[in-house]
Amino acid sequence: MNYKVSPSMLASDYANLEAELKKCEENSADLIHLDVMDGHFVPNITIGAPVISAMKKVCSVPFDLHLMITNPYDYIDDFADAGADIISFHTECDSDIGETIDRIISRGCRASLAVKPNTPISAVYPYLDRLSMVLVMTVEPGFGGQSFKTEVLPKIEELRKRCPDIDIEVDGGVTCETVKLAKAAGANVFVAGSAIFRSDDPAGVISQLKE
Ligand code: DX5
Ligand code: ZN
């Protein structure tokens, strides 16, 4: 199994994004997790394509976008142009899921579907043949710094049993402790925001998570 760490820039210092990205790059982060929120799908607003495009110019680590927006289909071209490598969007959104996956793939990006904690994992099953990754939320989407929901672990186990090879990403409350539970359940891509950027030793946390 190929394990990857994807630092969530949501918890980084937005006034020093270039330095924060370098910190991830120098400490062998595998992906950069970028949380896009529209204030509608979730009660919070973050960044959009122009900021991501600017970040792309100063970072060579692949960008892992997490779209928490109501109509992802309408913005796939913008995010592909901005430099997205993987695009996750939610099964609970209003866009047509199949059309959105096709649009992501046609733009040369890898497609991923995300599920909130209360959404059954079977929601992604009809699309598995076109997905590179499934993002299983271990907190309610919208905010960083929440606690890992262990009740989501059986969904990860179920998906891993069904798909031995797909990337399974966990997002929300991942720390050097909870990462072990997620890994044991079958996840292999670990998003961490607060655990990395709110620590005195971000480099140390990235390497501990990787271990
Ligand atoms: C929350 C976001 C997460 C968030 C995780 O909706 O999807 O990516 O940054 O933050 P932590 O790691 O602090 O729970
Ligand atoms: Zn996220």
Side-chain angles (χ1 to χ4, degrees), residues 28 42 74 90 96 104 108 136 151 157 171 173 210:
S28 318
V42 288
D74 300 348
H90 275 262
D96 183 277
I104 293 171
V136 181
E151 59 268 33
E157 287 165 10
D171 182 10
K210 282 178 79 88

Side-chain angles (χ1 to χ4, degrees), residues 11 16 41 45 51 58 98 139 143 158 165 169 180-181 185 205:
N16 292 294
F41 184 79
I45 299 177
V51 176
V58 297
V139 299
F143 300 92
E158 187 183 325
D165 298 322
E169 181 173 60
K180 297 173 193 163
L181 304 173
V205 176

Side-chain angles (χ1 to χ4, degrees), residues 8-11 33-35 37 42 66 68 90 135 137 139-147 171-175 191-196 198:
S8 167
M9 303 308 291
L10 185 65
H33 187 84
L34 296 166
D35 291 296
M37 306 186 191
V42 288
H66 178 191
M68 286 159 275
H90 275 262
L135 193 176
M137 291 298 303
V139 299
E140 285 302 329
F143 300 92
Q146 305 178 72
S147 304
D171 182 10
V174 174
T175 63
V191 175
S194 319
I196 293 174
R198 302 275 143 83

Side-chain angles (χ1 to χ4, degrees), residues 17-165:
L17 281 175
E18 184 171 3
E20 296 285 65
L21 288 166
K22 285 276 168 292
K23 219 182 266 176
C24 299
E25 203 167 281
E26 282 160 11
N27 294 293
S28 318
D30 302 283
L31 299 166
I32 299 292
H33 187 84
L34 296 166
D35 291 296
V36 175
M37 306 186 191
D38 64 356
H40 189 254
F41 184 79
V42 288
N44 197 6
I45 299 177
T46 55
I47 57 169
V51 176
I52 292 170
S53 165
M55 293 167 86
K56 190 74 182 177
K57 294 195 182 97
V58 297
C59 183
S60 62
V61 181
F63 278 10
D64 165 30
L65 264 61
H66 178 191
L67 305 184
M68 286 159 275
I69 65 179
T70 303
N71 294 302
Y73 182 87
D74 300 348
Y75 297 91
I76 297 306
D77 282 345
D78 287 354
F79 289 117
D81 290 340
D85 295 279
I86 306 171
I87 301 181
S88 295
F89 68 99
H90 275 262
T91 57
E92 306 88 355
C93 74
D94 283 356
S95 296
D96 183 277
I97 294 177
E99 284 174 13
T100 306
I101 292 173
D102 288 344
R103 189 79 205 155
I104 293 171
I105 295 172
S106 77
R107 290 302 317 265
C109 302
R110 287 192 279 151
S112 162
L113 261 179
V115 286
K116 293 186 191 181
N118 292 330
T119 301
I121 196 65
S122 56
V124 308
Y125 289 171
Y127 310 100
L128 282 172
D129 56 336
R130 287 178 280 167
L131 298 176
S132 303
M133 187 169 87
V134 173
L135 193 176
V136 181
M137 291 298 303
T138 38
V139 299
E140 285 302 329
F143 300 92
Q146 305 178 72
S147 304
F148 186 92
K149 288 179 176 282
T150 50
E151 59 268 33
V152 173
L153 292 169
K155 295 202 310 195
I156 301 172
E157 287 165 10
E158 187 183 325
L159 180 63
R160 179 54 76 209
K161 245 182 238 157
R162 197 178 180 105
C163 306
D165 298 322

